[in-house]
Every structure is written in structure tokens, then in C-alpha cells.
Amino acid sequence: MASSLPKRAIAYVLLTAALGSWALGTALFHWRSANLLQFGCYLAIAMFASTLKVRLPGIESTMSVHFLFILLGILELSHSETMVLACGAALLQSVWNTKKRPELLKVIFNVGMTANAVWVTYQAYWLAAALLHNRIPLLLLVVGTSYFIMNTGPVSIVIALSQRSSIRNTWSLTYFWSFPYYLAGAAIAGLVDVCNRYVGWETALLVAPVMYWIFRTYYIYLARLEEEKKRAEIEALHAEAEKSHVQQVCALHLRTIEGLALAIEAKDHTTHSHLQRVRTYAIEIAKDLALSEDELDALRAAALLHDIGKLGVPDHIINKPGRLTPEEFEKVKTHTIVGAEIIEKVAFPYPVAPIVRSHHEKWNGEGYPDGLKGEEIPMGARILAVVDCLDALASDRQYRKALPLGEAMAEVAREAGKSFDPRVVEVLQRRYLEFENLTIKNGNENPIDALNLSATVERGLRPAAGFESGSEKTGDQVDFLSSIASARQEAYTLFELSQDIGNSLSLTETLSLVAMRLQKLVPYESIAVFVRDKDLLIPEFVSGDYARVLASLRVPIGTGLCGWVAAHLRPIINGNPIVETGIAMTPNASIGLRSALAVPFESVNGIVGVLTLYRADPDAFTNDHLRVVQVITSRVAMFIDNALKYREAESSATMDYLTGMANARALSVHLEKELARCEREQSSVGIMVCDLDGFKEINDHFGHLAGDKVLKSFASSMRIVCREYDYAARMGGDEFVIIAPGMTEAAMSDRSELLNALAKQAGRDVCGADFLSLSAGAAFYPADGITAEQLLAEADRRMYAAKKKQHEMAKGRPVIATRERQLPGEVERRTDASESISRQSERKEPVAVEFGRRWSRTPYNLQGL
């Protein structure tokens, strides 16, 4: 304690101990006892009560109910007797049943604090008695309150000094809840004192049950507090996980925004610096106006995407060097609606679409597309409208030169109250120079890279069908519009992917959609998505001409093409697929697959898998293909990681953890499906319920670990003897169920005999003796029932009938002692019993199984199984 407390807390502890020592010493020096027997009884009960203590939540401190006899002692005993009683109980509470060795300084503090509490309470009692003229209720209130303050206040002060917190808050949160108990204790002490005056002090001994009741109340209340604390911690963990998920979704949306912003830049080159300036100005104005975090996030996205609707406006209108015609302007106005519709499909967690739709609305209601005015216009759209106009005036356009920034600001200010919100204009006019400097700084530190639309491609001098007559081009000429169309196609594909990912947790279904979308951007003949399974890459999804070959691959991480990509977390472009062992051993595949593009799926936990595209031509993939695939894999990796975790959770919910078989829940679902199939096809199905007899003896003699081994061994044997289309499950404990479509009663009887032999063998392998046998009952659809409940109930009834008859046939079996632990001298006796059972099992015993009305008793020899 001393090493963990600050100096001022240690000083306070020592001061309390010193004052307590003085109070205790003074009391002992003036010792006086009128009735030693009464004092001894009170002391004994107080000592016992000090062992009834509860641990307070959140701190290393305990509380007991011995205060009741301390209060009684103040009323009935001398000062010295009460002091000895209280200090002795405090000392015992400090050292009794502690989790670790009590620290000396803590013990001294507890005893000293108790001595001080008794001294102050005793003085308060006699002073109050003189002033209040023995008004009992008020005296008890003074006694209870004084002792409560002096018994809890010093501890609160030490905690507050240690944690540098408020003494009042610490006291109220940690101890104030117990104040009613102190008052109730004072009332009980007063009642006992009154009874003692008329009956005798011995009646005080009846307070012991009351003390125990108070202790149980303490205990239950604090246990409830601890439970609520744990529940709050669990809820906090869930909230943190949900917050992490939201952050991941927001990161995914941010990457989507970046891809879409690139598409806008490819459509309209004038927006490259425009995006940088609009984003900076808009966010700074929003901060000045104290918008919420969600509004800031929405505005940040809208600043990049507010012109995304221009993708739906023809290029010749967007890039027209002169003024627009009325018809062309009508087409341009649709970009607000198209942009909002695109953004709505992205499902941002904050309202982006209303800003994009309304950023051309005017304050006086003369804007478009909805004619909103004043406060009807979203605040983000009002900010964006002002900033967009300032940037347009201060930037070069096809139809005019840029205005100086000051003149552009003056033009915007003249429209305040007409086109724009006056509050937004006021902030912009006051700080636009500051915003401009910040824009230049941000542009240097975090530039929005423009797409390289001026790139030239040396290969491919002419299309296979040739050029249009009279319009052949040289290799240096580039079709600019086709480049823009390609960028538009990429943007829309990324948008579709953002919608597809997350709509379903089915890995195969989503990967199929990803493969379909990806083929529009990167042509391929075959595709394989490998998922990591420990040290191997297992194909999760394959498609294309060589899907069967790719599906058979098992690639160790670090070897082959995909294994190298997974180990080094680096992509390979135009790699040789033949280095994969499975492909090299398949002649057709080694000829048909000549180049591969492999990119790793990487999540926060490391490698998740590898995406590989295959082509028949060598060097078929380009760096641009790699860029597109990397953009997609960054989005898909997170989904694959989540889908694999979901699959694992789903599997654990339907699988028995011990045997690896289906559990009762999975059995119920499968049985309902099987009965529905039988009803459609007018076919039959048999249900066998099996129970291991003697399994409890194995648990009692050899322990539950041996029992678990027996269950796993029997389950493994059961799976081997079942047909490929049979369904075996563990219902729980030592009970198993087999669903056998189309199986006859005779075949089911043979199956039960074989299972009985396997059960005995499993018991013999693990325990070395024939403890086990098997009882089985079967029911058939539709003869014995048409619902799952009817069939299981009938099979269960027949199983117990078979168990009863089998027990009747085995009455001569020796009884083995069932004791959890083996005592000395019992080894030899128990071995003899096991050998007796083993000898008896070597005889040919009949196996009892009940199927419908037929009773089968078939000898079965286990030798040679």
C-alpha cells in the first residue's frame, strides 16, 4: 500500500493512525467495565460479525456488519469497552480471509480510523444527550450519522488523494449508498437498548440474525452492482466493436469517393483544382458555423462528389467553349438529380445525397431542381453553392477568363440574400484569404492526383477491322473520348461493386458478382479466388475454361505463383501459371494458361487470400489492369475476411464441438428438409435413435476425458459405416441419431448390430474392457409418423424398450463400484471386475434392437472385428 500511495495520502494515513492510537491508549488507560460477561458476549458477537464482510466494487476495500454492536456498545457499554470492541473487530476484519497478505500500514489505518470513529461518536452521543434531553430518535440519528461519517469519510479521503479525484464524489459514489443501513443499525441498537432496560442485556444476543440479514442485503446489492458493471462493460465492448465496424464502412466509402472523384476528373478537367478548393473552403466554413460531425462528413463527401451527375451529361455540352442553348442547359440541370440518385445507391452513413441534389438551389427560391428557398435548403448545400460559385468565378473556363479572387468575392457578396445564405457569405467574406492559403498548403501536402489521360500506347497500330475510310490515325493519336468512356465505365463498375459487396454474406455469391463486374474492366479467360486455410491457399471460387483444374489446386504459402504472392504480399503481373504444380501436371492447362495476374487480399489481420486472373496469351495484362484489380481487391478483402468469420460462426452453431458431427439444431433442420423431400417424391426414410449403455460407468471409472475419447471414437466409426447420403448427428450426451433415406427395416436391423459392435470396440479400445453396448430404436416415414416430432418420439420409445429388454438379458453382469476417485487398495479389486466383464463379453451375447413390431435377437461375435 505504501509503495502505491502518493506522499500526501501516506501522510494522512499516518496522521489518522496517530490520532487513533491516542484515542485507543486513552480508553485503555481509563479502563472501566461494569459487566465483564456482557462485554465478553458483545465482543464475541462483534468479532463474528466482522467476518461477515463484502468487497466494495471498484476499490480494494471491504465492509462488515459489526458496526451494529459498536453502536449498541456506545449506548450501553463504557467508552473503554466500546473502544476495545470496535478496534478488535476492525483488526479481525482487516486480516480475516484476505486474498493476499494484509499490509501493515493498511491494518494500522483501519484500526486507527475505527478508534477515531468511536471516540467522535461517543463524544457526539453524550453531547447530544445533554442538549436534546434524551430524545431517543434524535440521539440515534446523531449516533448513526456520526459513526457513518467517521467510518467512511477517512477511506474516501485516502482514495481521493490517491486518484487525484474529488473527495465528495468519491464518498458519494463509493459509500453513500450504505447510509440507510447505518441509520437502520442505529434504530435496531436503540430498540435493543430499550429491551435491555426491561428484560436484560441477554436480549442483545438476538441481534445476531438481524446482522446476518443486513450482511445478506449488502451481499445481494453489491452482487447486483457487480453484475450491472459487467453488463455495462460488455455493452461497451459491443459499442466499441460496432464503432470499429462503422469506421471500416466509412473507410470503404471514402475509397469509393476517391474512385468516383477520379471519374469526375476524367469527365471534366476543369474540376481538378476545383475539387481541392471546394473541399477546403466548404469544410472550413462548416467548422466556423459549428456543424455536427455527421454534417461535416457529409459535406466532405459532397464536396468531392457534387458534380458526379455530369457523368450523365454528354461530353460536347460539358466542354462546350461558348454559351449553352436552352436545350443544353436543361440537360446540364439534370446533373443534380443524376448525382443524387447515384449517391443514394452508395448508402453513405450520413446525408450526402440531399447536398448533391440541392447545391444549385438559391436562397430566394429561383434555383433548381426543386425550387427550395431559405432554410428549406440543406445547410451543406448552401455552403457548397457559395463556395462553388466563388471557385467558378475565380477559375478559367472555356467561355471566359478567371476573375481576380477579390473581384470574385465581391460578386458573391452582392448575391447574399438573393442567391446565397447571408450567414455563409459573411463567413466566406471574412476568411476567404485564409482559406485560399490553406488550399494551397493542402494541395501541396495532399494533392488529388489527376488521371493520366494523355498517355500513349505504342502497341496496336490498327484495329482488326481496320480504320474508317479516310480517317486512319497514327500511333501517336489517342481517342480522347474513348479514354473518358473507359474512366466512366470504371467508375460505374466500382459503384456497382460497392453495392454488391455487403449485400450478402454468401462468399460464393458475392465473388461470382465480383468476377462478372471485373471482367468488364479486365478481360480474362479464367479466374480463381484462393482463400487462406492455415498454411495453404484453397480455391474458394473458380470460373472459366480451366475451372476444374484450378479447383483442384492446393497451394502452400510461399511456393508457386499464388503462394509467392501470399507470402510477400506483392502482386505479380504476367506471371507464368505453369509454376503452380497442379497446372504444370495438366497438359491442356499448361498450354491454355500462358499469363497470370495475381494480387493479394490483405486485411488488418494479414493475408486473407489471393485473386488470380488467367489468359491464354503471354503478357496479356497491363499495368492499368493491375491498378484496377488492386482498387477492387482493397474493397473485397474486408468482405472476404468478414464472410469467413461469419461462415465459421455459422458452422460452430450447427456442429457438435466434441465429435465434429452435426448437433441437435442441425439435425432438426435436416430432418424437416428430408421429410419435405419424402412428401414430394412419395418416398420413405428411416430414423434410428441410438444410446450407449454403460457410458456412465466409463465416466465414473476412467473419468470424463476417457468418456470423450469413447464418444469421438464411436462417432468416427459411425461416419464410416453410414452411406454417403445418410445423415448422422449427436443429439447430446451419449445419444446419436441417423437419418437413412430409403432404408428398410431389415437393413436398419443389420446397421444397428454393426453399430453395437462398433460401440463395444470403442469401449474396449479406450478402457480395455467391454463396458459399452448399444440400444437402438427406429421409426419409418410415413408408416410410424409424418412429422419430425412423431418419428423421433416413436424411435426414442422403441430405443428405451430395446434398452429394457437388453438389461433383462444381461442380469448376470457384475456390478462395478462407481467412485469418482480411486482409493488406495482398490486397484486390484477394480481390475478383477474389469477382467470379469471382459471374460463375459467374449461369449456370444444377443444384441437387442426394436424396430416396429419385430424383435431381433441375433448372436454377434466380436472376435476379428
Side-chain angles (χ1 to χ4, degrees), residues 445-631:
E445 294 178 357
N446 303 299
I448 299 178
D449 297 329
L451 296 176
N452 183 16
L453 298 179
S454 60
T456 59
V457 181
E458 297 179 358
R459 300 172 63 88
L461 298 179
R462 65 178 65 241
F467 292 113
E468 183 183 354
S469 177
S471 62
E472 291 198 357
K473 303 178 182 180
T474 66
D476 294 335
Q477 293 176 308
V478 179
D479 188 347
F480 179 70
L481 292 179
S482 65
S483 181
I484 293 179
S486 176
R488 179 186 296 180
Q489 177 66 35
E490 179 179 336
Y492 272 106
T493 301
L494 292 176
F495 166 69
E496 290 173 340
L497 276 174
S498 297
Q499 283 193 309
D500 295 338
I501 298 173
N503 286 341
S504 170
L505 282 173
S506 171
L507 194 54
T508 303
E509 177 184 340
T510 302
L511 290 178
S512 176
L513 290 173
V514 169
M516 180 181 68
R517 308 287 190 207
L518 182 59
Q519 195 165 32
K520 298 177 182 179
L521 302 177
V522 183
Y524 60 81
E525 271 94 39
S526 296
I527 182 174
V529 176
F530 296 91
V531 172
R532 180 178 185 175
D533 184 8
K534 297 180 180 179
D535 294 329
L536 289 177
L537 293 177
I538 308 299
E540 180 68 33
F541 173 81
V542 293
S543 179
D545 298 335
Y546 298 95
R548 180 172 297 180
V549 175
L550 297 174
S552 66
L553 295 180
R554 298 294 183 271
V555 182
I557 294 180
T559 64
L561 180 71
C562 299
W564 187 95
V565 170
H568 295 83
L569 298 178
R570 292 170 55 189
I572 288 180
I573 183 170
N574 291 323
N576 188 356
I578 299 179
V579 299
E580 303 286 14
T581 303
I583 296 179
M585 297 175 62
T586 307
N588 292 337
S590 60
I591 296 174
L593 301 177
R594 304 290 297 278
S595 60
L597 173 60
V599 180
F601 287 125
E602 188 178 2
S603 72
V604 293
N605 298 321
I607 186 68
V608 175
V610 175
L611 168 65
T612 309
L613 308 179
Y614 299 91
R615 292 284 297 273
D617 301 325
D619 300 325
F621 298 101
T622 66
N623 288 328
D624 192 62
H625 292 154
L626 175 61
R627 179 189 63 80
V628 172
V629 173
Q630 285 180 318
V631 171

Side-chain angles (χ1 to χ4, degrees), residues 373-392:
K373 64 180 180 179
E375 297 293 335
E376 296 175 351
I377 307 171
M379 176 56 77
R382 286 181 253 163
I383 295 173
L384 205 54
V386 175
V387 174
D388 197 23
C389 180
L390 176 66
D391 179 78

